[in-house]
Amino acid sequence: MIFKIIILAALIKVLLTSNNPLLCAGIYTAVVFFMGIISGSALMSLLIGCIIAFALSLLYYWLLDRFEDQGFIWWVILLGGIFIGVV
């Protein structure tokens, strides 16, 4: 779980340089998928988890990209999105 939060934080830097939320959500989902494969999760539950992780992370990175110039709202979204790491 800590590793996923670190990945989320690193992808925020990628988002700020690329302005591409789809890229960040894709990378995050790939990391979640490979971590699930390594841990031996059942394939169907892993796929459902990846779909949920992709949707939430896409929303998260899109909101961060959308509100990049609005300081307080951006920080609220940033801190609120850390909870994606538990998915």
Side-chain angles (χ1 to χ4, degrees):
M1 182 170 88
I2 299 289
F3 182 70
K4 285 195 237 180
I5 292 171
I6 292 170
I7 293 296
L8 277 172
L11 287 174
I12 290 170
K13 179 65 175 168
V14 172
L15 177 69
L16 293 175
T17 57
S18 72
N19 291 327
N20 189 350
L22 189 60
L23 172 67
C24 296
I27 292 171
Y28 179 75
T29 305
V31 169
V32 169
F33 179 77
F34 288 121
M35 286 175 49
I37 291 289
I38 290 171
S39 69
S41 298
L43 186 60
M44 187 56 76
S45 65
L46 179 61
L47 290 176
I48 292 171
C50 283
I51 291 170
I52 293 169
F54 179 76
L56 290 176
S57 62
L58 181 60
L59 175 66
Y60 177 61
Y61 290 119
W62 179 80
L63 286 171
L64 284 174
D65 189 46
R66 169 78 171 84
F67 293 104
E68 182 177 356
D69 298 330
Q70 300 173 4
F72 179 73
I73 296 172
W74 189 86
W75 282 102
V76 169
I77 295 167
L78 176 75
L79 295 175
I82 297 300
F83 294 111
I84 294 173
V86 297
V87 174

